[in-house]
Structures are given as structure tokens and as C-alpha cells.
Amino acid sequence: MERVMAQLGGASVRLRSTSQAANGTSEVAIRDEQYVLDLCDAVLGLKAVRQHCFEFLTGDLDRRGYRKPLPVDGFYPALGLVVEYHERQHRERVGFFDDKPMVSGVPRGEQRRRYDERRADLLPRHGYSLVVLNVDEFAHDRAKRLLRTHQDQAIVSRRLASFIG
């Protein structure tokens, strides 16, 4: 497995997630979402708040009439930027999981689609920029797991160019 190096301020930095550093797991074990957000952190020179919830961004009503907050993958408060990484289930049907009924009564696949649309609609309305990075933008295997190549940082840099100071 190729090690990914980030160029930050002229120096090479090996990307490791905080969870990897804390528990010593291998680079292969880092979730793709974590890896992509680590690349964003390196490109922007900032650390994203992971799984941040906004008061205005909530899920569907459950049986008790409660709306659970919807987390975003990465939030950069200083930039007013939210980064979402969409794995294959955001664009492709994933059989058994997509058909599973959720508390709101809709199948999981439909709920995911609604929540993605909700983020895309509400975040800009509240003054936040949203950048969605899709698995298909990166080199990946047949199971749509990222291969983690040296081109990944260039892809992220290109997509986040308007936020780089």
C-alpha cells in the first residue's frame, strides 16, 4: 500500500487520522471518509470538526415526534465550509441495506437520498458552503474502496481551491 504524503507549507506530512494515531491501526483500516477528510485538513491547513451537527439540520420525525440532528462529515468553521464524502451507497443501490425500513417509515436508501438533499438545500440557506466529494472522483477498487494514491491530494486541492488561502 502506497503511503500518501501531503505537501503542507513546503514540508511533507504523512497523513494519519487521529483515530489511527490513538489506537495504532494500520492505514488500510482507516475508513475512506476519514482518509478524505484528512486530505482536506492537509490541503486547507485546518482541522475539520468531524460529525458536527447544526441546530437547523435534522432528520425525519420519528414515532415520538422527535427529529434527530443530522451530522455532517467535516465542518471548517473558519471557512463556513462543510465537506461531505459520498461513498457508493450515496449513488448506487445497496440491496439489503437500502430496503431496510427506518423509524420514519421510509426505506434507508430513500432516507439517505432525502438527507443528502436536505444538507444540499439547508446548508447554503444558512450561509455555509457545501463541497461533496464522491468516491468516483478517486481511484478505487471494484468494491468502491479508495486505493489511496498520490493523485488524491491533487483531486481534493482542485475541489477546494476556492477555500485555500
Side-chain angles (χ1 to χ4, degrees):
M1 177 75 39
E2 179 179 350
R3 290 200 182 271
V4 177
M5 304 295 285
Q7 293 293 332
L8 189 58
S12 290
V13 179
R14 189 164 62 100
L15 296 175
R16 288 180 57 137
S17 73
T18 54
S19 60
Q20 175 195 14
N23 65 24
T25 57
S26 71
E27 287 181 64
V28 175
I30 304 171
R31 289 183 38 210
D32 287 347
E33 175 186 306
Q34 188 78 22
Y35 167 74
V36 169
L37 290 173
D38 285 347
L39 285 172
C40 294
D41 289 350
V43 164
L44 295 170
L46 298 169
K47 180 74 175 157
V49 178
R50 313 286 168 105
Q51 299 302 304
H52 179 76
C53 293
F54 293 95
E55 208 173 280
F56 60 85
L57 187 58
T58 59
D60 294 337
L61 286 172
D62 65 16
R63 290 183 203 119
R64 298 170 293 147
Y66 178 73
R67 290 181 185 270
K68 185 178 177 183
L70 294 179
V72 296
D73 294 338
F75 173 48
Y76 296 89
L79 302 174
L81 172 64
V82 171
V83 174
E84 284 283 306
Y85 173 64
H86 283 187
E87 295 160 312
R88 70 182 270 223
Q89 67 268 22
H90 289 269
R91 303 183 120 207
E92 297 175 13
R93 182 168 158 59
V94 185
F96 172 77
F97 295 104
D98 280 358
D99 296 335
K100 181 181 176 190
M102 304 310 294
V103 176
S104 63
V106 299
R108 178 67 182 119
E110 172 64 19
Q111 184 185 59
R112 184 181 306 109
R113 186 190 62 72
R114 285 183 186 181
Y115 289 0
D116 288 347
E117 287 176 0
R118 196 168 293 164
R119 286 180 184 94
D121 178 47
L122 290 176
L123 287 164
R125 276 207 240 166
H126 285 85
Y128 299 100
S129 297
L130 173 64
V131 173
V132 176
L133 299 167
N134 291 296
V135 64
D136 292 330
E137 296 179 70
F138 300 91
H140 56 274
D141 63 19
R142 285 190 292 179
K144 300 275 180 129
R145 297 288 174 215
L146 298 184
L147 297 179
R148 301 166 191 233
T149 69
H150 64 277
Q151 292 96 348
D152 294 346
Q153 186 177 356
I155 293 164
V156 170
S157 293
R158 209 170 25 257
R159 293 295 310 284
L160 299 178
S162 62
F163 299 96
I164 299 172

